[in-house]
Amino acid sequence: MEKESGNYVSDIHDAAYEAAYLARRLDSGTLVSAVGRPAESLNGKWNFAADWYDSCKRAKWFLERRVDEAGRPMPLDWDWEAWEPMSVPSSWNLQKPELFYFEGSGLYTRTFRYLPKIPGERAFLRFEGAQYRTSVFLNGEHLGTHDGGSTPFSVEATGAIREDNRIIVVVEAGRRPGRVPPDNTDWFNYGGLYRDILLLRMPPRFIKDWFLRLVPDGSFSKLAIDVELSGEGLGAAKGGEARLRIPELGLDESIPISGGRGSSVISLDVAACLELWAPGKPRLYGIELSLLGPGGEGIDALRDRVGFREIRISGSDILVNGKSVFLKGISVHEDHLRLGKATDEATIRAAIAHLKELHGDYLRLAHYPHDGRFARIADEEGVLLWEEVPVYWAVDFSSPATYADAENQLAELVIRDRNRASVAIWSVGNENADSDARLSFMSRLAAKARELDGTRPVSAACLVDHERLAIADRLAEALDIIGINEYYGWYDPDFSKLPRILDNSKPSKPVIICEFGAGARLGHRGSVDEHFTEDMQARLYEEQVAVIGACPYIKGMSPWILYDFRCPRRLNRYQERYNRKGLVDADRVSKKKAFATLAAFYASRAEPAAEGDA
Ligand code: GCB
């Protein structure tokens, strides 16, 4: 706002202060891949204050003005070093009791030293996830602002970084109707810098992103790779090329670069004998990707381990490496008693171990992108994943800004994980009412997912038409797999509707039951008709798997849910602010009766091991 009068003070009178920060966006276009490169961690103890009134951004505290224009010391409202330490990464809600329900702006700050190590070095800061709007300031400069609580973002710090640095990060965790997800969800709104923060040192020209995959044409003999570079003089560099090496396949392939991008389709020598990645058989190959200068000199290089597999849809079949599968899954939230939305490797591995105990091979990572380590570990463990963006319930489907936010989150997720063989399905949302605005919003998202990655099916968790008793969501047209959430036997006690719905429906595509379930308080036992008993939950699982297992077009399921999770809208005496539909208590240890019911069903659906299989 313009200064209008002599008594105008921008620090307190500028109600539109946010606009300047939103003008510098961090999004999928600024995202830089950190894969396979050394990175320095900025995790650790930061100083933190709950900035209830967003004063850092309103009054520009990040400028660190300690004296006024006349050089006189100013009375300051901020005091970085005096503020309490806060662990990064963490969900602030679980760090201090008074922050448990805090949904405002949290101000984090720390100092760090930096000395460039290579000529022309470019410095980037990469955030793996912060909930929800994050503004990054370095040495008094606003570097950018990111929206979206579960996807990575990065920013170039080259111009602003010095030997001694002060970084300030303001994370605002508000639930708002125009956001993705909107204000009303069925999970806890954890806030803060809850995933890793990295400092990346890049050469002047480097590989910003790459996408390597098996071409899904049924031949299992072609790889495709795209690379995108960052830096000046990209296409002009005569003779510049990227190289892909996969030593175990004897592959050393040149990827010509033009205009900062390069693409190749590589036909594999049949003698190279590619071993496919498959659930339960997680074959990964070491790859080396490098960028060479005009004289063939190495400019940039990274390494990773990648699996090659194919997922295709044929009629109502999901084909993994050409074989029709039934995905034996369970849904899981990123919610932990002690860690909140933050996680660690042991927690991820423990969830996968529970899946394996269930004789399952597939996890639905609900309802937002989980930590990037999940897909990497699933790659190693041989487990398939459904990954989803939080287009959840009543998103503001008619708002262009909300669409832009959703599309950006989808792009950041796909770019982060499209090299991961474990990731099988992109989901563009969950349980949204079938309106025209929603149909156009989510169809566009589905198209965007395909534009970014033409190798994976796109789905969404839809609702059945409970008046016509049929699978009839108009969005199905835009999807490759129809996801269905249904709670017959729970929210609707008339279980007989489920077989009727399945009989009434003739989908031309595979269907996955993304959710069914029943609440059960651990240890609460009683009759099979009594809500919140383990006994009712187990009975419901028996009934559900009998019907689902007999339906020819259902090709997978991920019941709701592996673990109980915090949920402030669940307030009865059995729930006590937890959603209790877990097969395992929120302690992630104690199993309920229905765990064994599902395990028995999945064991009965186990594929006989093929001859020669390990
Ligand atoms: C649903 C939602 C999920 C909820 C679940 C429930 O359909 O997709 O987020 O937590 O039902 O427990 O009601």
Side-chain angles (χ1 to χ4, degrees):
M1 185 192 282
E2 292 298 307
K3 180 178 166 182
E4 284 167 356
S5 63
N7 68 358
Y8 176 88
V9 180
S10 66
D11 285 8
I12 53 178
H13 292 140
D14 183 4
Y17 68 97
E18 188 76 342
Y21 303 108
L22 295 180
R24 232 177 161 180
R25 291 279 189 169
L26 306 179
D27 58 20
S28 61
T30 56
L31 187 62
V32 160
S33 170
V35 165
R37 309 172 171 282
E40 284 148 62
S41 169
L42 289 176
N43 294 347
K45 293 287 181 202
W46 291 50
N47 292 96
F48 176 86
D51 183 7
W52 262 273
Y53 291 7
D54 214 14
S55 302
C56 179
K57 287 205 262 180
R58 285 179 193 272
K60 302 193 179 60
W61 287 354
F62 57 87
L63 294 176
E64 296 196 84
R65 288 179 57 229
R66 291 164 200 269
V67 293
D68 68 10
E69 284 91 29
R72 296 169 305 185
M74 290 168 48
L76 304 177
D77 291 325
W78 49 269
D79 200 347
W80 319 136
E81 280 81 17
W83 291 348
E84 285 181 67
M86 168 71 83
S87 296
V88 173
S90 74
S91 292
W92 65 44
N93 317 72
L94 300 174
Q95 301 304 307
K96 298 187 198 330
E98 71 272 22
L99 295 178
F100 189 71
Y101 285 118
F102 181 57
E103 296 184 319
S105 286
L107 192 162
Y108 295 78
T109 183
R110 65 166 282 174
T111 56
F112 66 95
R113 303 254 311 155
Y114 168 83
L115 285 172
K117 290 184 177 163
I118 54 171
E121 181 170 299
R122 296 169 67 190
F124 289 80
L125 300 170
R126 181 171 156 119
F127 296 75
E128 295 300 327
Q131 170 74 10
Y132 179 94
R133 172 168 289 170
T134 309
S135 297
V136 183
F137 305 91
L138 187 65
N139 302 324
E141 190 180 322
H142 172 236
L143 297 185
T145 293
H146 179 259
D147 271 355
S150 304
T151 45
F153 53 95
S154 53
V155 62
E156 179 153 17
T158 313
I161 202 162
R162 304 195 292 244
E163 202 169 319
D164 288 302
N165 297 280
R166 164 145 322 268
I167 182 171
I168 295 171
V169 183
V170 177
V171 186
E172 184 258 292
R175 284 174 298 111
R176 306 211 197 288
R179 289 189 168 173
V180 184
D183 50 339
N184 184 33
T185 67
D186 198 47
W187 68 85
F188 192 92
N189 182 33
Y190 293 105
L193 287 175
Y194 69 96
R195 290 187 186 153
D196 292 337
I197 305 179
L198 305 172
L199 171 69
L200 301 170
R201 296 165 182 274
M202 300 298 202
R205 272 187 280 165
F206 67 90
I207 300 165
K208 177 175 177 245
D209 185 36
W210 52 281
F211 178 24
L212 173 63
R213 68 277 180 192
L214 187 66
V215 176
D217 62 359
S219 74
F220 309 111
S221 66
K222 279 189 220 101
L223 303 183
I225 182 159
D226 299 316
V227 297
E228 188 188 338
L229 308 187
S230 172
E232 294 304 311
L234 300 169
K238 211 169 146 224
E241 58 167 353
R243 278 202 98 77
L244 171 68
R245 290 190 65 233
I246 309 181
E248 284 177 280
L249 289 174
L251 189 146
D252 187 350
E253 190 73 20
S254 165
I255 306 157
I257 299 290
S258 152
R261 291 175 185 271
S263 295
S264 281
V265 174
I266 305 159
S267 289
L268 293 174
D269 183 351
V270 181
C273 221
L274 179 72
E275 285 176 59
L276 298 173
W277 184 101
K281 241 180 129 193
R283 176 68 161 101
L284 297 175
Y285 287 91
I287 68 135
E288 297 164 19
L289 195 55
S290 52
L291 185 62
L292 306 180
E297 71 283 9
I299 295 180
D300 185 28
L302 57 91
R303 287 162 189 272
D304 199 4
R305 289 176 62 71
V306 172
F308 301 103
R309 55 100 195 92
E310 184 192 85
I311 303 217
R312 266 191 314 136
I313 304 303
S314 168
S316 66
D317 280 322
I318 301 174
L319 305 178
V320 176
N321 298 334
K323 207 171 88 186
S324 174
V325 296
F326 180 88
L327 299 172
K328 301 181 282 293
I330 184 96
S331 300
V332 65
H333 254 300
E334 201 166 50
D335 179 284
H336 187 282
L337 279 184
R338 183 173 45 81
L339 302 172
K341 194 164 160 43
T343 193
D344 54 26
E345 193 176 326
T347 302
I348 295 169
R349 291 201 187 271
I352 293 176
H354 271 138
L355 173 74
K356 291 186 177 176
E357 243 189 278
L358 285 167
H359 305 284
D361 53 16
Y362 160 70
L363 283 169
R364 175 183 181 210
L365 303 185
H367 281 299
Y368 38 72
H370 286 216
D371 191 287
R373 284 169 293 182
F374 213 119
R376 302 199 142 266
I377 295 173
D379 266 14
E380 288 168 31
E381 297 273 351
V383 160
L384 291 168
L385 301 177
W386 159 298
E387 294 202 328
E388 182 163 306
V389 285
V391 176
Y392 184 88
W393 287 356
V395 161
D396 185 357
F397 289 116
S398 52
S399 156
T402 303
Y403 178 78
D405 188 355
E407 188 185 276
N408 182 56
Q409 292 186 45
L410 176 71
E412 287 169 342
L413 169 64
V414 173
I415 290 169
R416 188 192 70 181
D417 281 356
R418 60 188 168 183
N419 289 312
R420 307 276 68 90
S422 55
V423 177
I425 300 165
W426 303 120
S427 164
V428 294
N430 180 81
E431 280 190 3
N432 320 92
D434 188 356
S435 67
D436 290 349
R438 173 265 194 171
L439 182 62
S440 120
F441 186 111
M442 292 178 72
S443 303
R444 276 177 79 190
L445 284 183
K448 183 71 186 178
R450 287 192 193 96
E451 177 195 315
L452 291 164
D453 173 9
T455 73
R456 288 174 177 84
V458 177
S459 189
C462 304
L463 292 165
V464 293
D465 185 326
H466 52 84
E467 283 165 11
R468 286 163 56 194
L469 290 187
I471 298 172
D473 193 315
R474 289 181 295 162
L475 184 64
E477 194 61 36
L479 306 175
D480 302 305
I481 296 173
I482 305 170
I484 292 291
N485 292 357
E486 53 85 6
Y487 281 88
Y488 292 98
W490 184 250
Y491 293 122
D492 185 336
D494 183 356
F495 186 76
S496 74
K497 285 182 186 166
L498 179 61
R500 275 151 61 205
I501 288 166
L502 298 181
D503 280 352
N504 288 346
S505 309
K506 301 270 168 294
S508 56
K509 301 176 178 183
V511 169
I512 290 180
I513 302 294
C514 309
E515 288 179 31
F516 68 80
R521 174 76 181 244
L522 180 74
H524 182 45
R525 305 300 299 267
S527 98
V528 293
D529 296 317
E530 200 185 326
H531 282 124
F532 297 102
T533 59
E534 289 191 33
D535 309 80
M536 184 176 185
Q537 188 191 42
R539 200 249 331 239
L540 180 127
Y541 267 72
E542 274 163 26
E543 291 176 342
Q544 285 275 353
V545 300
V547 171
I548 291 170
C551 177
Y553 56 75
I554 295 181
K555 292 301 150 80
M557 60 188 231
S558 52
W560 196 252
I561 183 168
L562 182 53
Y563 305 116
D564 290 353
F565 56 97
R566 283 198 180 92
C567 186
R569 48 194 289 286
R570 305 288 182 176
L571 293 168
N572 79 31
R573 71 184 64 187
Y574 305 108
Q575 298 166 320
E576 295 181 308
R577 287 172 278 124
Y578 283 80
N579 184 313
R580 301 282 183 195
K581 294 191 188 70
L583 293 179
V584 178
D585 183 75
D587 68 6
R588 295 194 171 222
V589 174
S590 313
K591 297 183 183 113
K592 305 176 195 172
K593 212 176 147 189
F595 189 98
T597 315
L598 186 63
F601 174 65
Y602 285 160
S604 77
R605 297 293 296 237
E607 305 285 331
E611 250 174 74
D613 277 5

